[in-house]
């Protein structure tokens, strides 16, 4: 499925021009007349997408837009267009969180490259988040004892050490460890540690 671009443009003529260009390049589009309009219906679960917004006053509009998007829980990349050619405004927009900032008129090729990059980043971020959600769900499948074994193994404890800490046998630990790997769909300890790190479970590891 092609990427989706949310076009925020108050000038209907400019909006139609951008919409036509993007559709001709294979994108799906949704148009909004203002930032208030898109913020009232924050896009969600529509696949890889980005927001293309024309801002009148980058210094004030862009920080406010990102503040409101963040509060609404949106993680869509945002590309800003502006009629102002002030370099300082562009820098502020990027610091505020903009994926890219262009002064109008912008070359079609440049805009398409930026949109491709933004959508690719959003697609990758969505895939990573989906994998993390799946890993969190699989983690819930572990029994209390399996979770204890998991927590010790990811901190580098050997089977013998895990057995000592838990007051059980090394053979039992091996059996629990096998179940942990099976339930988490992981094939090696290195992968197990990597998974734990991605889930933020190593922040409280022993020094």
């Amino acid at each position: 499925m092609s990427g989706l671009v949310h076009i925020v443009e108050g000038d209907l003529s400019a909006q139609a021009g951008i919409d036509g260009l993007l559709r001709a390049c294979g994108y799906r589009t949704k148009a909004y007349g203002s930032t208030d309009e898109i913020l009232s219906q924050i896009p969600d679960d529509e696949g890889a997408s980005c927001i293309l917004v024309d801002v009148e006053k980058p210094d004030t509009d862009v920080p406010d837009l990102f503040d409101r998007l963040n509060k609404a829980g949106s993680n869509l990349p945002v590309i800003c267009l502006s009629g102002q050619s002030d370099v300082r405004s562009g820098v502020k927009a990027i610091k505020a969180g903009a994926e890219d900032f262009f002064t109008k008129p912008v070359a079609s090729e440049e805009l398409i490259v930026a949109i491709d990059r933004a959508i690719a980043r959003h697609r990758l971020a969505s895939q990573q988040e989906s994998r993390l959600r799946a890993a969190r769900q699989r983690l819930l499948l572990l029994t209390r004892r399996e979770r204890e074994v998991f927590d010790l193994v990811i901190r580098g404890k050997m089977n013998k050490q895990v057995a000592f800490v838990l007051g059980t046998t090394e053979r039992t630990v091996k059996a629990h460890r096998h179940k942990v790997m099976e339930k988490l769909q992981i094939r090696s300890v290195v992968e197990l540690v990597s998974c734990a790190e991605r889930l933020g479970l190593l922040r409280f590891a022993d020094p």
Side-chain angles (χ1 to χ4, degrees):
M1 183 179 290
S2 61
L4 172 63
V5 182
H6 299 276
I7 305 168
V8 184
E9 171 60 75
D11 184 319
L12 294 181
S13 177
Q15 184 187 102
I18 295 172
D19 185 83
L21 169 66
L22 298 184
R23 286 184 178 275
C25 291
Y27 296 106
R28 293 177 295 123
T29 62
K30 279 191 176 181
Y32 310 81
S34 66
T35 53
D36 284 339
E37 187 178 340
I38 190 172
L39 284 163
S40 70
Q41 45 184 310
I42 293 295
D44 188 31
D45 297 329
E46 298 185 79
S49 54
C50 72
I51 297 173
L52 178 63
V53 56
D54 190 349
V55 292
E56 292 184 12
K57 302 173 182 177
D59 279 0
T60 56
D61 291 355
V62 176
D64 177 64
L65 172 63
F66 277 95
D67 181 56
R68 295 168 72 186
L69 283 171
N70 289 335
K71 287 178 179 177
S74 172
N75 65 345
L76 295 183
V78 179
I79 297 171
C80 297
L81 301 178
S82 174
Q84 297 184 20
S85 58
D86 181 9
V87 174
R88 185 175 61 87
S89 295
V91 171
K92 280 194 171 185
I94 297 297
K95 285 185 176 180
E99 184 81 9
D100 267 305
F101 180 92
F102 294 102
T103 300
K104 297 184 296 183
V106 56
S108 299
E109 295 79 7
E110 284 187 75
L111 185 59
I112 295 303
V113 167
I115 289 173
D116 279 344
R117 183 167 54 239
I119 287 178
R121 187 173 74 78
H122 184 243
R123 179 177 287 112
L124 179 60
S126 296
Q127 291 171 345
Q128 291 174 336
E129 180 57 34
S130 179
R131 285 195 290 269
L132 284 178
R133 283 198 300 269
R136 291 189 190 101
Q137 288 301 311
R138 288 194 291 270
L139 199 62
L140 296 176
L141 298 175
L142 301 183
T143 64
R144 181 182 60 81
R145 181 61 91 184
E146 288 166 355
R147 180 57 191 262
E148 290 173 340
V149 170
F150 168 84
D151 288 338
L152 290 167
V153 170
I154 63 174
R155 285 162 173 74
K157 303 296 184 184
M158 305 298 290
N159 289 339
K160 183 182 295 186
Q161 294 171 306
V162 175
F164 177 78
V165 171
L166 298 181
T168 187
T169 66
E170 190 172 348
R171 181 177 180 179
T172 299
V173 169
K174 287 180 179 178
H176 284 312
R177 184 165 156 173
H178 174 75
K179 293 299 293 184
V180 168
M181 307 286 267
E182 186 178 71
K183 288 182 178 180
L184 297 184
Q185 299 177 21
I186 286 175
R187 293 168 293 182
S188 69
V189 174
V190 172
E191 193 177 344
L192 190 72
V193 173
S194 177
C195 175
E197 188 171 21
R198 290 196 303 273
L199 291 171
L201 299 176
L202 293 181
R203 285 175 293 181
F204 305 107
D206 295 334

